Amino acid sequence: MKIFLTTAIDYVNSLPHIGTAYEKIGADVIARFRRLCGDEVLFQMGNDEHSANVQKAAEAAGLPPKKYCDEMRPKFEAIWKKLHISYDRFIQTSDQNKHYPTVYEFFDRVNKAGDIYQKDYEGWYCESCEAFYTEKDLENGLCKNHQKKPAWIKEKNYFFKLKKYEKALLNHIEANPGFILPAKRKNEVASFIKQGLEDFSISRSTFTWGIPVPLDKTHVFYVWFDALINYLSWLGLKSLDDLKDNEYWKNVMHIVGKDITRFHCIIWPAMLMSAGLPLPKTVFGHGFVYLRGEKMSKSLGNVVTPLDILEKYPDFGADALRYYLMRGSSFGDDGDFTWDGFIERYNADLANGIGNLASRILGMVWRYQGGSVSPRPFEESQEDLIFKANEVWEYLKIDLSIDEKDPTDIRPHRALEAIWRFISAIDQYIDRRAPWQLAKDKKVDDLSQILTLLVECVRRLSIFCGIFVPDASKKIWRAYGFDKWKNFSDIRAPDQFDSPLSKMPHKLTELKLNLFPRIQVI
Ligand code: MSP
């Protein structure tokens, strides 16, 4: 099956923090899991480059906005690559070859549908949200998201007839339970629409860094009208008419934060309806990462970035951050970051958990059998651990995918719990069977049977863990010599059942493995 996964595209006026990273890591986990299942995944991310804020940041940097954006792109990509985000495509909305023509074609369809008109407008505008607010949207006169006083703006704008689509949107949401996930976001969006929608302005004339509106070159497109269309610009369509036959679009999941779910579940589908185009299958609104319960913001000076972690722990920081963020909560719920919590989790689950187990088993195979294991059949009935490994796969399928009949949340934390239960079961098995005693007693056959089973468990673990901590998993794969059988990136679901260790002798590659050294707490 073809699957199109998209994240929100990031504003480029500041570099990613662990909140924006949470989204990309969550999306990457879904992408890696789907690839493992054999799906053809197109995973797209990128930067949202047009806005007054970006124009200001470029001015402050003394650069023309396009140059500023082009210089920000590699900085973003370097961070995403270090975090092992396996995106296939990185887009920029200032791309004049791919994006501008799609925005023009889209606008033309909406305009021909009679959904664009001009009027004078005044209202509160929060530049950080790039959104107009009414008095009732504000909290003590401040924008709820940024705790900043919005500017009072008065201008002639082009408007999109959003109100016209109220009923159609509600009908679509009701008829498609998997359209907005998790379910609580669906309820929020539906009750927001029921309170009544207002038409929204799609152009600005107060700044110039944007795509000029064809009807009136003194205006540029409002950043959301421009940004949302990024999801179509890189699909390689000859014309937007081809969207209905596009296999990726049939299975598109937009992954976005809860603050922008409304843009994706109201404005975007209404724009698509107006343009006569098919709607996305799913919009997933994930929760926010807070810092000790507080919103991260530059003004509060409490922003933690992936670079803070990667610079402190260059060898394992990426996997550690991925694990920590995914282990905390359901993807739809909010999570929290604290340095203490991060180190505690790391030591308990990565250093003492998978790290210790992988090096322990590797050491025993070298010590007792010179790094070799003999072929053994693996059947559930024979070995409880094989039954448990198969069970983990069942949990991954439940927790990392959307059930068509009962779509709810994506629960990476539950998937990880299942994997870590398996790790504890292996640890307990080793303690129970005490291979060191068998070696002492010269019970060669029993020992051989146990060691092959343990190596098989590590093989399965590195497949499961590859979704979450890909760097460490790849290192285990290589150290255990499994790459002689298959490249880590080529593993597909059946490979975890069909073990090479059941058929032929196998030799480990490396003598030692130190994936996750303990962090000393002073
Ligand atoms: N440019 C828009 C999105 C346009 S999509 C067509 C935007 N950019 S952003 O840089 O502000 O945010 C990018 C993504 O990161 C959004 O989905 C946003 O919800 C998410 N997050 C920003 N802060 C976050 C946390 N603290 N926690 C989790 N996600 C957060 O919005």
Side-chain angles (χ1 to χ4, degrees), residues 7-11 17-20 22-24 48 224 227-228 230-231 255-260 264 286-290 296:
T7 65
I9 47 175
D10 294 352
Y11 292 129
H17 53 67
I18 57 167
T20 40
Y22 177 64
E23 172 173 297
K24 313 312 181 225
D48 191 355
W224 280 98
L228 288 161
N230 94 82
Y231 299 129
I255 295 167
V256 298
K258 62 179 183 180
D259 59 331
I260 59 168
H264 284 80
H286 63 77
F288 258 43
V289 177
Y290 293 95
M296 269 179 285

Side-chain angles (χ1 to χ4, degrees), residues 23 31 35 42 79 96 113 122 192 215 227 229 271 371 375 507 519:
E23 172 173 297
R35 285 192 204 108
L42 176 59
I79 295 173
Q96 299 211 2
E122 44 190 316
F192 186 82
L215 298 177
I229 297 171
M271 283 166 62
K507 178 117 188 170
I519 300 177

Side-chain angles (χ1 to χ4, degrees), residues 179-182 184-186 188-189 224 228 254-269 283-288:
F179 175 52
I180 306 176
L181 292 177
K184 62 180 171 193
R185 304 256 180 270
K186 174 191 151 187
E188 284 162 16
V189 170
W224 280 98
L228 288 161
H254 296 313
I255 295 167
V256 298
K258 62 179 183 180
D259 59 331
I260 59 168
T261 311
R262 279 186 205 167
F263 289 96
H264 284 80
C265 299
I266 299 176
I267 294 182
W268 180 224
V283 176
F284 189 94
H286 63 77
F288 258 43

